[in-house]
């Protein structure tokens, strides 16, 4: 017999804990599997952007590879080629490429 679908006896009340337990469990699962990892990723990305230094090799959200030439409060001057420098918003820098080995063709 399925006890979850049984109606309570007349004159007795259902336990409020058993009524809200599935909802509470869903919220806990969402927190540990979705919200908490996303917050950790954002914290790591913020720490990375704050620790940028001149000469670091980075990638932007648009896929531009370059080397940091200068750092200001809100932007980074990115050297893309010998005589080509781009001013990029700090929030567009997403990855450090210093530990990646270049692919050869």
């Amino acid at each position: 017999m399925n006890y979850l679908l049984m109606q309570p006896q007349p004159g007795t009340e259902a336990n409020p804990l058993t009524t809200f337990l599935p909802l509470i469990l869903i919220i806990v699962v969402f927190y540990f599997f979705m919200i908490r990892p996303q917050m950790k990723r954002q914290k790591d990305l913020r720490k990375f952007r704050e620790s940028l230094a001149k000469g670091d090799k980075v990638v932007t959200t648009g896929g531009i590879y370059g080397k940091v030439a200068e750092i200001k409060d809100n932007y980074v001057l990115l050297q893309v080629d010998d005589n080509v420098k781009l001013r990029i918003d700090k929030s567009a820098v997403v990855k450090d490429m210093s530990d990646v080995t270049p692919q050869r063709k």
Side-chain angles (χ1 to χ4, degrees):
M1 210 174 217
N2 193 346
Y3 293 104
L4 293 175
L5 297 176
M6 288 181 59
Q7 298 294 326
Q9 295 292 330
T12 61
E13 293 183 22
N15 188 353
L17 181 63
T18 58
T19 306
F20 291 110
L21 188 63
L23 181 63
I24 292 169
L25 287 175
I26 289 172
I27 291 171
V28 168
V29 167
F30 267 96
Y31 177 76
F32 280 107
F33 287 106
M34 295 180 76
I35 298 170
R36 190 167 175 235
Q38 180 66 25
M39 288 171 49
K40 185 179 183 305
R41 250 181 264 126
Q42 287 176 347
K43 181 181 175 186
D44 291 342
L45 189 58
R46 185 174 47 249
K47 281 176 48 178
F48 164 69
R49 287 179 181 149
E50 289 171 358
S51 70
L52 280 176
K54 187 175 179 180
D56 288 348
K57 293 180 180 178
V58 295
V59 177
T60 67
T61 56
I64 299 172
Y65 288 72
K67 188 174 12 172
V68 176
E70 184 180 337
I71 301 171
K72 293 291 181 184
D73 290 335
N74 339 359
Y75 71 88
V76 174
L77 199 61
L78 200 63
Q79 183 175 355
V80 180
D81 203 6
D82 290 334
N83 294 324
V84 180
K85 292 183 181 178
L86 300 173
R87 186 178 303 170
I88 307 283
D89 194 58
K90 249 186 185 177
S91 63
V93 179
V94 291
K95 216 187 297 185
D96 181 14
M97 296 306 293
S98 62
D99 57 346
V100 177
T101 58
Q103 295 180 353
R104 299 182 188 229
K105 293 182 180 182

